[in-house]
Amino acid sequence: MITTEAWVLHAGPAGAESGNPVPGELVLEDFSFPDIAEDEVLVEPLYGSWEANMSHALERAPVDVCRQRGEDRMVIGNFGVVRVVRPGKAVTRVKEGDLCLMQAFARTDDHGYVKLVHAYDAPGTIGVLARRTKIGERLLLPLPESTRYSLQQWAASYGRYWTAWDNWKVAYACWRSQVRVSPADMDPPPLAFGWGGGVAVAELELAQRAGFRAAMASGNPQRLAEIEAKGMIPVDRRLFPDLDHDEDRMAADPDYRQRYRQSERTFLKIVNELSGRRGAAVIIDNIGKPVHRATLRALGRQGVLATVGWKHGMRLENIRANECIKRHIHVHTHACCFHDIEEILEFQEGSGWMLELGDQRVYRFDEIPVLARDYAEGNLDSYFPLFRINQD
């Protein structure tokens, strides 16, 4: 057995209602697991990125993943840079001391898309919120020895950037399936608009490379400055503060209905002006229900609604006739394809498609609960929250 220090999530109360879960907390304690098998690798996590699924695990929404896995406790954390401590006897791709990106593809379908996620819903898997952990050899991708990026940049970016790469690839292919003109040949350029966080930022960077005009909403001044620094159009979310759609409140509360409609009109006016009165060509929406109605109204003809997240509200409604008549395509993806990971790494290394960390905070291992709280409360200035586990 191997015993290590880890931030551990315990299972919630038995019989707790899925609609009213009891949130969990991370507890710093010893965590033991069986020694590595022949095809596994013992690693030291160095840096990790706080991902939305980690917060979902703590919130026990939509499920209590510990109970789903049939375990009393688990260690979360899907993405990070790790150092190889000891490879199993049958391991050939990595050696002691290698620096690698840890992948989350615990189980995939026949085409390489993830079905069960490492350190989330895949039983027996151990995440990076531990001083040491183990993982199958196939889920380690060695970093280029001469990489021009820091370990912190890789740890903070690749989970979100690779998800963005896959979602944009599908969304752009869908848009081109109905639009014969290249974005570069259109005047004004088609508009790609983003709701969300780091994934949306990364996708909009790809949209710019493809010839789109990119805009993104945020109510955080520092994030608005970051958006503008990337050559995108910052849209101040505070200009439409009541854009939070709730159908029941619309019917029951006249004051709320009036405030919502005013915010929606303001938002649609902004999109109309930015798009040359065509509506957005592509909207990346990783928020969900609060902005769904306005998003569909802002989407132009032959527009694509692309999503890879579900931060608020997992059940959405639309009027099918409207979506058909406007020839809207709805794209839903999750993570990326396992078979593409080496190509994406090479693209990032060669193209410069990488975030700049600047002087953003790197949370220490003992500050992990603070990071979890700051993420849940929206108190992060960066789209790419980063933490350190061991010294590099």
Side-chain angles (χ1 to χ4, degrees):
M1 295 290 288
I2 296 172
T3 300
T4 190
E5 184 182 41
W7 285 103
V8 178
L9 174 64
H10 292 256
E17 296 181 11
S18 59
N20 189 29
V22 178
E25 294 182 355
L26 295 172
V27 181
L28 187 62
E29 60 189 33
D30 286 343
F31 188 85
S32 298
F33 53 90
D35 201 357
I36 58 173
E38 290 189 348
D39 62 346
E40 292 181 325
V41 182
L42 181 67
V43 299
E44 289 179 334
L46 301 179
Y47 295 97
S49 172
W50 190 271
E51 304 291 327
N53 67 60
M54 299 170 72
S55 290
H56 294 163
L58 293 180
E59 294 163 1
R60 308 195 202 282
V63 296
D64 183 332
V65 288
C66 288
R67 294 199 173 278
Q68 184 182 50
R69 288 163 50 130
E71 300 169 12
D72 293 331
R73 59 186 194 146
M74 63 180 286
V75 177
I76 60 176
N78 309 104
F79 293 102
V81 173
V82 302
R83 179 169 50 221
V84 174
V85 174
R86 175 165 52 91
K89 295 179 180 179
V91 171
T92 59
R93 292 179 62 248
V94 299
K95 62 183 184 303
E96 182 180 344
D98 280 354
L99 298 173
C100 304
L101 300 178
M102 192 181 85
Q103 305 302 310
F105 299 85
R107 185 181 301 173
T108 60
D109 61 23
D110 293 342
H111 300 285
Y113 295 103
V114 67
K115 295 175 68 177
L116 292 180
V117 177
H118 181 91
Y120 185 69
D121 55 0
T125 56
I126 308 159
V128 298
L129 290 187
R131 298 289 191 181
R132 288 194 171 187
T133 184
K134 67 174 182 176
I135 192 167
E137 175 192 20
R138 74 181 190 90
L139 297 185
L140 290 178
L141 182 61
L143 283 170
E145 292 185 6
S146 58
T147 179
R148 55 176 166 161
Y149 303 124
S150 69
L151 300 185
Q152 296 96 321
Q153 283 178 292
W154 279 116
S157 72
Y158 80 101
R160 289 171 169 82
Y161 269 62
W162 295 12
T163 297
W165 190 90
D166 180 86
N167 190 251
W168 176 254
K169 179 179 69 173
V170 178
Y172 182 63
C174 287
W175 185 78
R176 284 306 308 267
S177 72
Q178 299 195 102
V179 180
R180 299 182 182 183
V181 182
S182 168
D185 296 327
M186 298 178 66
D187 185 20
L191 176 68
F193 183 88
W195 297 110
V199 174
V201 169
E203 281 197 63
L204 290 174
E205 289 182 276
L206 293 176
Q208 287 178 305
R209 289 169 178 257
F212 286 77
R213 190 181 194 190
M216 184 160 173
S218 176
N220 182 309
Q222 186 166 327
R223 290 184 175 182
L224 288 169
E226 180 181 340
I227 292 166
E228 187 171 22
K230 292 180 177 293
M232 303 175 193
I233 302 166
V235 177
D236 195 333
R237 182 72 170 80
R238 293 167 294 185
L239 295 174
F240 35 93
D242 297 303
L243 194 68
D244 184 353
H245 186 251
D246 184 311
E247 192 63 39
D248 292 336
R249 288 188 66 190
M250 287 285 284
D253 185 343
D255 180 62
Y256 163 80
R257 182 166 60 247
Q258 181 178 1
R259 288 185 286 108
Y260 172 82
R261 286 176 173 169
Q262 179 57 49
S263 282
E264 185 179 79
R265 282 193 293 269
T266 300
F267 168 68
L268 294 177
K269 180 180 178 182
I270 291 171
V271 172
N272 203 34
E273 291 172 351
L274 294 178
S275 64
R277 306 185 65 83
R278 295 175 179 172
V282 178
I283 296 183
I284 301 152
D285 173 24
N286 294 332
I287 299 298
K289 187 175 182 179
V291 299
H292 185 64
R293 168 175 143 154
T295 293
L296 291 179
R297 293 186 172 194
L299 199 61
R301 291 187 58 80
Q302 293 82 49
V304 175
L305 172 58
T307 182
V308 72
W310 46 90
K311 187 171 183 179
H312 296 298
M314 295 185 66
R315 295 181 182 274
L316 304 175
E317 295 182 358
N318 60 66
I319 301 174
R320 293 179 66 187
N322 286 350
E323 299 309 288
C324 290
I325 292 168
K326 294 180 180 179
R327 298 189 66 93
H328 288 168
I329 297 178
H330 294 222
V331 170
H332 299 82
T333 66
H334 182 216
C336 66
C337 180
F338 180 75
H339 305 310
D340 290 340
I341 59 176
E342 292 187 9
E343 179 184 351
I344 305 173
L345 184 148
E346 292 175 1
F347 176 76
Q348 277 198 275
E349 185 68 41
S351 70
W353 183 51
M354 173 63 77
L355 64 87
E356 295 293 335
L357 288 175
D359 59 354
Q360 80 167 64
R361 179 178 181 179
V362 179
Y363 289 77
R364 301 188 310 269
F365 188 69
D366 64 318
E367 295 179 316
I368 293 299
V370 178
L371 170 56
R373 185 190 65 229
D374 287 348
Y375 183 92
E377 295 177 355
N379 291 331
L380 298 173
D381 287 330
S382 172
Y383 285 118
F384 304 93
L386 181 67
F387 56 89
R388 184 178 67 239
I389 307 99
N390 292 293
Q391 294 294 333
D392 55 290

